[in-house]
Amino acid sequence: MNKLRAVALTVVMITSFTMSMTGSAMNLSVPGISAEFNAQAETVGWMITGYMLTVAALSVPFGRWADITCRKTVLVTGIVIFVFGCFGAVMASSMPMLLVMRIIQGIGGAMVLSTNTPILLSAYPPNMKGKALGLSIGSVYVGLSLGPVIGGILTHNIGWRSIFIFAGGISIIALVTAVFGLPKVDSEGKGRKMDYAGSCLFAIFIVMFMLGLSKIEGGLVPIIIAVIGFAIGVTFVLFETKQKDPVLNVSLFRSNIGYTLSNVAALMNYAATFAISYLTSIYLQVVLGYSSQSAGFILICQPLIMALLTPKMGKLSDKYSPFKMSSIGMGLCAIGAAFYIFMGEETSVAYIAFALAITGLGFAFFSSPNTNAVMSCVEKKDYGVATSVLNTMRTVGQTSSMVIVTIIVTFLMPGAVLTDVQPETLVKVINISFTIFTLMCFSGVFISLKRKRE
């Protein structure tokens, strides 16, 4: 491996690990933060929501900015902002200050996530893209696997602030490596103009639409917000079709069926699978009576399989069709989700672990091959935006997954909190949810199979 590839891979793996680890570790700090600032759980939950909304709203604009300037500059700036947000969170003396620091981390995270994959792919030849993506996405899953463990240990022994110290310290390593190891080269799209109006429309569309969806159980107001957001989204698409240098080339979705369906497949995959760990965690604790720690160790088998196998699957997608491999992955996710349809109040842990393992295998087959499929459909000059669109599909899919669960809970038991429902009701929620998720996955299989490389 030459020096540039080694440096790019190091930076991308560290940043990918850090972003995913921080998010999953933060879930363990909610009680401590709530107690220290005397804040309600919903307010503390904005730590997660605020970060996700910021990343989703700004990834495409920052991806475009990186495509027309210098990806290294955007990446390094993003890491600096993220580190500032981490150490600002350590010094937070109030809940509002902590929320502001999480939004700052989201700004940095959007810059990093919109540039790390393009930088990695630019350092590797076309016949090794899948291998590079496999290692990068594998780092994400390692972060998801170790996040609860690291978060639990740090929070229990030192306190929740230590999570940000840990994340900031690791990010500094990536920062130094990037500054001194990556060449400062103009991106392939150098010379094109930044579409500021389109960027603002996109950000407003994403924030309002996702915010409305995430709070849909709140009644009419969130629904109105989501509808207005959707209308702004339609306006954004119409606006972009008239721009010479749009922030998002919407015509690509019409002209490149492989690109379009690969993004749709990602959206459907995350919408059908994101709620798995959430529902399984509650099932293990509420129905089977396991502690949160024991439930965490059971749940870890899914991301562990993903972390172990994703690099291998990415490498294989250089040899075999990434379109077909991701279709197989979607099918395996459908099979894993189908196991939950038949769960009852006395389902064994072995049954659940097997379902999680099948889903983890499906993710491994799907993630890096599908990303490889997306990136093979665009030119180098559009790598940043293509990566950002894929990240947005993931975030919208994850939000949609939780919306589906929320609607089912609201319908079956209005006003109830999922963790407080009776076991039989929770089982019914799981059965109905995964019937929908399984149908979505199988639909995704057919969508995936319709793709062809342009």
Side-chain angles (χ1 to χ4, degrees):
M1 182 184 297
N2 63 35
K3 182 179 179 181
L4 177 58
R5 291 181 200 167
V7 171
L9 185 60
T10 300
V11 172
V12 171
M13 289 182 71
I14 292 176
T15 52
S16 296
F17 169 82
T18 305
M19 300 296 166
S20 59
M21 182 279 299
T22 304
S24 58
M26 284 305 299
N27 292 326
L28 288 242
S29 68
V30 170
I33 294 173
S34 180
E36 179 171 338
F37 294 127
N38 193 29
Q40 296 182 349
E42 182 177 355
T43 302
V44 179
W46 273 99
M47 288 193 310
I48 310 298
T49 304
Y51 177 84
M52 287 181 61
L53 284 175
T54 305
V55 172
L58 298 181
S59 286
V60 168
F62 280 138
R64 171 65 172 175
W65 183 30
D67 282 342
I68 64 176
T69 55
C70 173
R71 290 181 184 129
K72 175 185 175 178
T73 300
V74 177
L75 174 71
V76 168
T77 304
I79 298 175
V80 170
I81 293 173
F82 182 80
V83 170
F84 175 81
C86 284
F87 290 114
V90 174
M91 304 299 294
S93 57
S94 66
M95 196 67 223
M97 182 177 177
L98 180 59
L99 293 177
V100 169
M101 289 302 143
R102 283 293 285 165
I103 290 174
I104 290 174
Q105 288 174 29
I107 295 171
M111 298 175 80
V112 171
L113 293 174
S114 62
T115 52
N116 59 4
T117 296
I119 285 175
L120 182 65
L121 294 181
S122 295
Y124 277 78
N127 64 332
M128 296 179 67
K129 283 193 305 182
K131 177 182 178 180
L133 289 169
L135 291 169
S136 172
I137 297 174
S139 300
V140 174
Y141 294 144
V142 171
L144 291 174
S145 301
L146 295 182
V149 178
I150 294 172
I153 293 173
L154 291 175
T155 302
H156 179 74
N157 293 285
I158 306 176
W160 61 266
R161 297 173 194 270
S162 60
I163 295 175
F164 294 113
I165 295 175
F166 183 79
I170 295 178
S171 297
I172 289 175
I173 298 174
L175 176 63
V176 173
T177 306
V179 169
F180 294 103
L182 292 176
K184 188 175 182 179
V185 180
D186 290 338
S187 299
E188 292 81 3
K190 179 74 172 181
R192 293 184 293 178
K193 295 182 179 180
M194 185 66 189
D195 177 14
Y196 293 104
S199 297
C200 290
L201 279 174
F202 179 83
I204 295 170
F205 152 55
I206 289 294
V207 169
M208 293 191 69
F209 184 65
M210 288 184 57
L211 183 60
L213 284 183
S214 64
K215 304 295 180 183
I216 200 166
E217 77 279 5
L220 185 60
V221 173
I223 295 175
I224 293 175
I225 292 174
V227 171
I228 293 174
F230 181 79
I232 294 174
V234 173
T235 303
F236 164 75
V237 172
L238 295 175
F239 179 82
E240 291 298 276
T241 59
K242 300 176 182 179
Q243 301 306 302
K244 180 180 178 181
D245 289 317
V247 67
L248 178 61
N249 185 6
V250 294
S251 64
L252 183 62
F253 289 93
R254 294 196 302 266
S255 61
N256 193 326
I257 190 65
Y259 177 77
T260 302
L261 294 183
S262 292
N263 277 287
V264 172
L267 175 67
M268 295 188 68
N269 183 267
Y270 284 106
T273 57
F274 182 71
I276 288 178
S277 59
Y278 175 71
L279 289 173
T280 305
S281 174
I282 296 175
Y283 176 86
L284 290 169
Q285 295 176 71
V286 173
V287 179
L288 298 187
Y290 284 92
S291 66
S292 58
Q293 178 174 288
S294 298
F297 280 115
I298 295 170
L299 288 169
I300 204 172
C301 68
Q302 177 177 304
L304 185 61
I305 289 175
M306 291 151 62
L308 291 173
L309 296 182
T310 296
K312 177 65 175 178
M313 297 306 168
K315 187 176 181 180
L316 286 176
S317 71
D318 287 325
K319 184 178 180 181
Y320 303 103
S321 169
F323 298 95
K324 291 181 179 179
M325 287 188 65
S326 54
S327 298
I328 293 172
M330 185 75 87
L332 288 170
C333 287
I335 294 171
F339 275 86
Y340 286 85
I341 298 174
F342 306 100
M343 281 174 55
E345 293 182 44
E346 298 180 356
T347 301
S348 69
V349 173
Y351 182 95
I352 296 171
F354 184 74
L356 289 170
I358 293 295
T359 310
L361 181 61
F363 267 120
F365 262 95
F366 179 82
S367 298
S368 50
N370 192 68
T371 303
N372 195 0
V374 169
M375 304 310 286
S376 69
C377 292
V378 298
E379 299 177 30
K380 281 188 176 183
K381 63 184 179 64
D382 295 317
Y383 273 179
V385 169
T387 300
S388 302
V389 169
L390 197 55
N391 288 335
T392 302
M393 291 295 177
R394 180 185 67 242
T395 307
V396 174
Q398 291 172 343
T399 303
S400 301
S401 187
M402 296 307 298
V403 167
I404 291 171
V405 174
T406 300
I407 292 174
I408 294 170
V409 172
T410 303
F411 178 77
L412 292 179
M413 206 168 181
V417 178
L418 193 54
T419 52
D420 295 333
V421 301
Q422 294 298 314
E424 60 269 19
T425 304
L426 177 59
V427 169
K428 187 176 293 186
V429 169
I430 290 174
N431 296 155
I432 296 174
S433 297
F434 281 96
T435 298
I436 296 172
F437 293 154
T438 301
L439 291 174
M440 289 174 65
C441 276
F442 276 123
S443 299
V445 172
F446 291 109
I447 289 176
S448 295
L449 290 175
K450 283 183 173 293
R451 296 176 297 182
K452 62 179 180 179
R453 183 165 183 171
E454 297 295 316

